[in-house]
């Protein structure tokens, strides 16, 4: 089932973590297969981001478990990644990630000289996924400079439906508002750099958590309302920004379970086809 959502403003949905801190179709892939989400040529990858799905880690975070239930701890299962024998837990979602930037050989604002691919290890072998040149440039910008620097200030009177229709001014009380999952996905998809950017979303509900296509946005829905959005890379390994915090790799099942802990109603997954509007 496909549900169109028209003329949506980039309102920056707030995740359970951000609320708590107040600041913050392809068939089975064969090993070695390369996929592109846009028809743009890439140079041969100079960096391999290795992700082993069997090496899940857990972290405990505070979140909002429904407005009438108050704050409580929720568990996030994430997947660490390896670059040149160095293990990283996540990517700094707001500011420059210095150690990771050095590993990715991002030494200037010109990200065109760096190229990378994802090497995902599953039970049936290693599978390589190489993003388009545009997608690579966007992620390298997040690592080298931090996502926060690319976005303007969010208007303080903007309403946040998930928080009882409070305004961002009420929530952050004059502090700079961090970018969230929506800003990350839209930045990766079409270089959105404003909280005021408008876009259209078509949602296709998934019957289960298995995702076929690589490098596509996926949304978590509560009664057809988006509560979180992230990007599927391949082999059910995904990347997403947790509210105003870090960028993690995780499986679709684990991120769905993470948000399910904060809602009484069953949540669903949907492919999100996002198009920018003038």
């Amino acid at each position: 089932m496909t549900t169109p959502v028209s003329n949506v403003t980039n309102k920056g949905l707030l995740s359970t973590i951000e609320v708590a801190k107040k600041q913050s179709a392809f068939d089975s892939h064969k090993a070695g297969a390369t996929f592109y989400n846009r028809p743009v040529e890439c140079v041969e990858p100079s960096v391999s981001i290795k992700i082993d799905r069997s090496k899940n880690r857990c972290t405990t975070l505070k979140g909002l478990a429904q407005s009438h239930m108050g704050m409580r701890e929720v568990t996030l299962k994430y997947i660490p990644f390896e670059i040149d024998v160095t293990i990283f837990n996540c990517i700094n979602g707001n500011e420059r990630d210095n150690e990771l930037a050095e590993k990715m050989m991002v030494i200037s604002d010109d990200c065109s000289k760096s190229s990378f691919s994802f090497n995902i290890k599953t039970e049936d072998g290693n599978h390589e996924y190489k993003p388009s040149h545009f997608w690579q440039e966007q992620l390298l910008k997040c690592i080298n400079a931090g996502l926060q620097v690319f976005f303007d200030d969010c208007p303080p009177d903007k309403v946040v439906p998930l928080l009882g229709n409070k305004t961002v001014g009420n929530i952050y009380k004059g502090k700079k508002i961090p970018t969230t999952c929506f800003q990350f996905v839209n930045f990766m998809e079409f270089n959105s750099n404003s909280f005021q950017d408008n876009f259209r979303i078509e949602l296709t509900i998934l019957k289960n958590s298995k995702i076929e296509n690589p490098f596509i946005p996926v949304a978590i829905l509560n009664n057809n309302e988006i509560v979180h959005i992230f990007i599927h890379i391949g082999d059910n390994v995904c990347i997403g920004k947790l509210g105003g915090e870090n960028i993690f790799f995780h499986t679709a099942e684990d991120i769905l379970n993470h948000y399910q802990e904060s809602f009484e109603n069953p949540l669903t997954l949907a492919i999100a086809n996002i198009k920018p509007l003038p």
Side-chain angles (χ1 to χ4, degrees):
M1 178 177 65
T2 301
T3 303
V5 181
S6 302
N7 301 343
V8 181
T9 301
N10 191 345
K11 52 192 172 185
L13 298 181
L14 304 178
S15 83
T16 58
I17 303 170
E18 183 179 345
V19 172
K21 294 194 177 181
K22 296 290 194 299
Q23 60 180 4
S24 37
F26 292 100
D27 294 327
S28 299
H29 309 311
K30 298 181 179 179
T34 301
F35 300 96
Y36 298 85
N37 64 328
R38 290 180 178 83
V40 180
E41 291 186 3
C42 297
V43 298
E44 280 299 311
S46 57
V47 175
S48 177
I49 301 176
K50 297 179 181 179
I51 302 173
D52 187 345
R53 277 184 34 175
S54 68
K55 295 184 177 180
N56 271 18
R57 294 181 179 178
C58 294
T59 184
T60 302
L61 304 160
K62 287 187 177 180
L64 185 68
Q66 294 287 22
S67 58
H68 66 280
M69 297 171 64
M71 298 291 186
R72 66 183 179 87
E73 292 185 339
V74 290
T75 300
L76 171 68
K77 289 184 178 180
Y78 65 93
I79 310 174
F81 58 99
E82 178 184 336
I83 300 176
D84 190 26
V85 306
T86 299
I87 304 296
F88 296 89
N89 287 322
C90 59
I91 300 170
N92 189 313
N94 298 313
E95 300 177 353
R96 172 182 167 88
D97 198 314
N98 292 310
E99 185 180 5
L100 182 56
E102 291 176 2
K103 285 291 183 181
M104 297 291 290
M105 294 180 286
V106 181
I107 57 177
S108 70
D109 292 334
D110 181 10
C111 296
S112 62
K113 296 180 181 179
S114 296
S115 178
F116 65 88
S117 64
F118 296 100
N119 187 284
I120 300 176
K121 184 178 181 179
T122 65
E123 293 180 353
D124 61 347
N126 294 324
H127 305 170
E128 184 181 15
Y129 296 89
K130 186 166 65 174
S132 70
H133 184 64
F134 174 83
W135 202 98
Q136 292 186 50
E137 284 187 328
Q138 296 303 98
L139 187 61
L140 289 172
K141 288 177 184 177
C142 292
I143 294 170
N144 192 42
L147 186 62
Q148 193 74 49
V149 303
F150 297 104
F151 278 80
D152 54 14
D153 290 328
C154 184
D157 59 349
K158 185 169 289 298
V159 173
V160 184
L162 293 179
L163 296 182
N165 289 323
K166 293 181 180 179
T167 66
V168 294
N170 295 143
I171 298 167
Y172 290 98
K173 303 183 185 304
K175 296 180 181 178
K176 184 173 178 61
I177 299 163
T179 54
T180 63
C181 58
F182 240 118
Q183 277 76 55
F184 172 68
V185 170
N186 288 350
F187 182 77
M188 294 295 297
E189 284 294 296
F190 52 89
N191 198 34
S192 169
N193 58 11
S194 174
F195 284 91
Q196 298 301 311
D197 286 347
N198 296 320
F199 50 90
R200 175 184 174 83
I201 305 178
E202 285 188 356
L203 299 171
T204 303
I205 306 298
L206 292 172
K207 294 181 179 179
N208 53 54
S209 58
K210 183 179 180 182
I211 307 169
E212 297 286 341
N213 294 10
F215 300 108
I216 57 169
V218 181
I220 296 177
L221 307 180
N222 177 38
N223 294 327
N224 292 323
E225 180 177 327
I226 298 176
V227 299
H228 182 60
I229 193 164
F230 54 94
I231 298 173
H232 174 248
I233 294 173
D235 287 305
N236 230 29
V237 171
C238 309
I239 184 173
K241 192 174 191 293
L242 270 290
E245 298 302 313
N246 296 325
I247 297 169
F248 288 90
F249 291 97
H250 51 72
T251 65
E253 297 94 338
D254 287 341
I255 196 65
L256 181 63
N257 290 336
H258 169 74
Y259 278 90
Q260 188 63 71
E261 291 186 58
S262 299
F263 290 88
E264 293 181 328
N265 300 327
L267 303 180
T268 55
L269 292 174
I271 300 299
N273 184 13
I274 309 174
K275 300 294 183 183
L277 295 176

